[in-house]
Amino acid sequence: MRQYSPDLTPPWKKPKPVPEVPAEPGLVVEEPGTGFCGAVIRCEAGTVTLEDRFGKHRVFPMEPRGFLLEGRVVTLVRPSPAGPARPARTASGSVAVPGARARVARAGRIYVEGRHDAELVERVWG
């Protein structure tokens, strides 16, 4: 005996998945409810600000199925951060320079720092 799905909706009536598009600055979208078309200026806590060709700004909520991109319905989402918020660190805690090899401190530098350390210990401990 053949098992039937509990959802008997015909395939042509099922809603199609809506693509999610990051709301990157400069992306031109249209809000179908008002017909306002503009470029994304900023994206904040559940809202997106659009600027039209005349420089007028409007704020819209970022709802599912809320915008048209090139005539297709899309859902705008917050863009992911571009990169790490902090610079990368090495095992010693110094700032890592991309593409540079680790170097040993120069002899003159070791002498100066060592001398200062010795003078400090002398002052503290006598």
Side-chain angles (χ1 to χ4, degrees):
M1 178 181 253
R2 192 170 138 192
Q3 295 292 324
Y4 291 101
S5 168
D7 182 13
L8 298 176
T9 307
W12 61 87
K13 288 189 176 181
K14 289 184 182 179
K16 295 180 181 164
V18 177
E20 292 184 347
V21 177
E24 300 285 343
L27 179 71
V28 178
V29 294
E30 178 182 349
E31 201 280 323
T34 60
F36 189 86
C37 183
V40 174
I41 298 299
R42 69 181 148 273
C43 182
E44 300 170 339
T47 63
V48 63
T49 304
L50 302 180
E51 178 183 27
D52 69 358
R53 60 186 175 151
F54 302 111
K56 184 177 178 182
H57 291 203
R58 294 211 30 207
V59 180
F60 295 98
M62 290 195 325
E63 299 173 344
R65 303 175 183 259
F67 296 91
L68 296 175
L69 176 65
E70 297 177 358
R72 291 179 291 186
V73 178
V74 296
T75 299
L76 291 182
V77 294
R78 289 188 68 140
S80 60
R86 301 182 298 180
R89 299 283 179 172
T90 63
S92 67
S94 59
V95 177
V97 178
R101 293 185 51 189
R103 299 183 308 183
V104 176
R106 296 190 176 109
R109 192 80 184 147
I110 292 172
Y111 173 74
V112 169
E113 289 176 1
R115 181 174 171 210
H116 289 158
D117 291 345
E119 289 173 359
L120 178 66
V121 169
E122 221 173 282
R123 280 191 190 164
V124 172
W125 296 105

